[in-house]
Amino acid sequence: MTLLSRDTELARLNAALAAAEAGATAIVLIEGAAGCGKSETLRTVADTARERGATVLWAAATPEGSATGHRALDEWAEALRTPGADPAPFTATAFNAAVRGLDSPAPLVVCLDDLQYADAASLACLTGSTRAPRGTGLFIVLTGPLGGPGADARDAVTELLRHPGFDRIRLGRLDRTATAALLRDRLRGGARGESADRLYARTGGNPLLLRALLSEYDTARPEPAGPFADAVRACLQRCGHPARDLARALAVLGTHATVERAAAIAGAAPAEAARALAALDETGLTDGSVLRHPDIAAAALETLGAAERTRLHGRTAEVLYADRAEAETVASYLRVHGSAPGDWAVRTLCEAGQQALAADETERAAACLQLAHAGTDDEPTRWRIGLQLAALTWRLTPAAAEQHLDAPLAALRAGRSGAPTGSLARLLVAQGRVAEAAEALRLAPSGAGALRDLFAVPPASESDETLLCAALWTHPGGPRAAATAERLLEETPLAHDTFEPLVQAVRILLHTGHPRRAAARCGELHADAEHRRARGWQAMFASLRGEALVHLGDLAGAERAASAAVAAVAGRGGTFMYRPVAVLVTALTAMGRYDDAARHLPLPLPDQLPDHLPGTVHALPYLHARGRYYLATHRSQAALSEFLDVGRLAGRWGLDHPGGLPWRVDAADALLRLRRPGEARVLTTAQLAVPGIGARTRGMALRLHAATEEAHGRPALLTRAIADLRGCGDRLELAKAVADFGRSLQTLGEGPRAGSVIRRAWRLADECDATPLCGEILPDRRRGDAAAEVRRCAPAAAEPDVGLLSQSERRVAALASAGYTNREIGAKLFVTTSTVEQHLTRIYRKLSISRRQDLPIDLQLDILEHVGVQ
């Protein structure tokens, strides 16, 4: 193989060979860094000598030679041994005798590669051969590392150095010109092109690394076990243990490398580290105080086992912490190390976790805090970190977040001090564990005051921990709560510290009867959470959106939202999973997909209270949804039991308020199906008497209350129910009320008008995909046939324009369509009967009809919401 940029060195070697051919003794020591061509140069000299008739003795020492009994002397002797000679190992005397016995005018050339590994006997033989009388020339060629060999070899070199024929040749790395020449030679062989500068920057001109890298030209990138990596490891092996350890330290430090840090990690004294770095630099593996290329760093670490690499990262973290490196830098090594070996590591991990959280890097923050949590023996510190993890990991895995609150709660119950009560209670409430939060405040009352001040809860809750925690869950606020919530949702970005307030703001919109706005905001927040890959947040906002869509009668949309929520935290939702499952079961049940709903109902209940009721607020909507499923599948008694359980729990936890689940309405529905109208009336009356009741709940209660009335009293109640349900936008409940209104008209003998109303109810139910309700409204007809009938019976003409009527006319028309007489209308509106008649005349003319029964049902329903019928 051609030696590039070695013309001067080869000329000196040829001159020494010529001197030996003339009968003199010549000694040359070829020094150089690993991979710089010493062995190759030595082979070139040996080949040249053989071609010129010299006797060549070759030996290569190895690091394992002393342990295995390998001797260079034996390799030389093998070349001198005559056939049939004694196979016993040569001594130095025997070797010299054999040399003297050579019958040839040509010189003897003795080659020793890597003299630093040679055994003492072979070195003694070598030095002795220079003093023995000879009849022919002698040429000794040695290779060794820069900086001198070990002690035994150093003594031999010193002895040889005294000889007048001694010469030392130093081989360096190739320069850029020689690198370009090597590249041109390779390109002639058909390899793809690459700039010489890039090759030089990657290898430092080390010939071994260059040729190894060029051999990998057909691969996209050097492989960990490829020629380049093997060449790097070979160079490190030849550089010795101190250099190899320093290289590993530099590799693990990466961009944080300094010589001082690497020396501390490797456990090397400054002088030893300086020599090791010099050896690496001469080899071309480093550029200054850093390894030249990431592939070199990877190869340096590749030989370490998993346990050794773990220890190396732990030691690196210690050194960086002592050198005041950034918290995240230290934490990155601790995370690989897999533990926090001391208080300093716990503090560093906590600091790095907070920094990661501020940068919205949740997974990194969680990894830091989890490691710190596992690494501390101080119980209050572990509780504090656990609470931070509970708030943080909810974003990723709600089930894991719940577990972090168990230890501090158990400590409170055991009477141990140090648990942060206020924060614990707040997080318990945020996870729906209202009863446990109240228990925590009772065990450590000092935490309650901080929560009251922080959340400005209503005065009614100040004396009762349960009511305080209920207020924290719903945060009902004042009369302008909805406007405040809307402003918060518009102005506040989603972040770690704003997640809970945003969730509460959405709940307020739902509780105050603004499901459309709640659904829109949840859609935006869900998209943001999805972009951040925050699965827990995704599930929460998708679930809330599903609830809002249920309140709007959009069953298909609610199913999609709830399914997305369930999928986001599948297998890791904890007790929160009850909420999206509840929405999903509610939607599927209302659509008549009972088998699909049933597949979600075996969800096991969470930890039980003494009376066998679940201990999480998230289970309330699940119990409610299960009750609706039982009601739809004709198990009214089981449904009633579920609804009453919801009421018991809501009352116990202070959550039986106007914005909560309308359990009384649902229980009344079950009682009516059980033919117990008197008990149903008690519940609907109690529901209607709740202060601050919302339009949706009031409309539902009025509809069922009407079912307990005599036939003639039902239309007025149903008209009010329709007005409320129209106003809140719940098309499904509106369809039920309109259907009941139509049936009440049938009972009163207004068949044509009742048919129009019932068809309107069917259209509403059909728009909601409520197949069972469609069947109830128009029984004995398949859905497709019913749709055709509704279209056939629909008026061909365009609907009258309600804008043609004045406000007074609209009020009169609404009351007339509801069945009130002219006298009753006059009494309600405080006008004379004659005025009512005049209004009706104008109404008929504007709408092109001749009697009140001809008022289109769509128009009637549209204007009911503008009429304050009481």
Side-chain angles (χ1 to χ4, degrees), residues 212 215-216 219 221-233 295 298-303:
S215 72
E216 297 189 6
T219 61
R221 186 178 184 278
E223 295 295 327
F228 183 75
D230 289 341
V232 170
R233 287 189 284 268
D295 288 336
L301 295 174
E302 188 66 30
T303 55

Side-chain angles (χ1 to χ4, degrees), residues 20 34 73 85 220 383 410 424 441 487 492 707 716 804:
L73 179 59
W383 294 336
L424 173 61
L441 293 180
R487 186 166 58 253
T492 307
L804 298 174

Side-chain angles (χ1 to χ4, degrees), residues 386-387 389-395 397-406 424-434 436-437 473 499-500 507 540 573-577 579 615-619:
L387 295 183
L389 275 170
L392 174 61
T393 55
W394 211 106
R395 181 172 178 171
T397 309
E402 294 171 6
Q403 296 170 5
H404 287 297
L405 302 185
D406 294 338
L424 173 61
R426 181 178 64 81
L427 288 168
L428 284 168
V429 169
Q431 293 183 4
R433 298 159 68 175
V434 171
E436 291 171 301
W473 174 257
F499 169 67
E500 288 179 29
R507 286 203 204 104
M540 173 58 81
T575 58
F576 165 75
M577 185 64 79
R579 185 164 292 275
T616 172
V617 171
H618 295 305

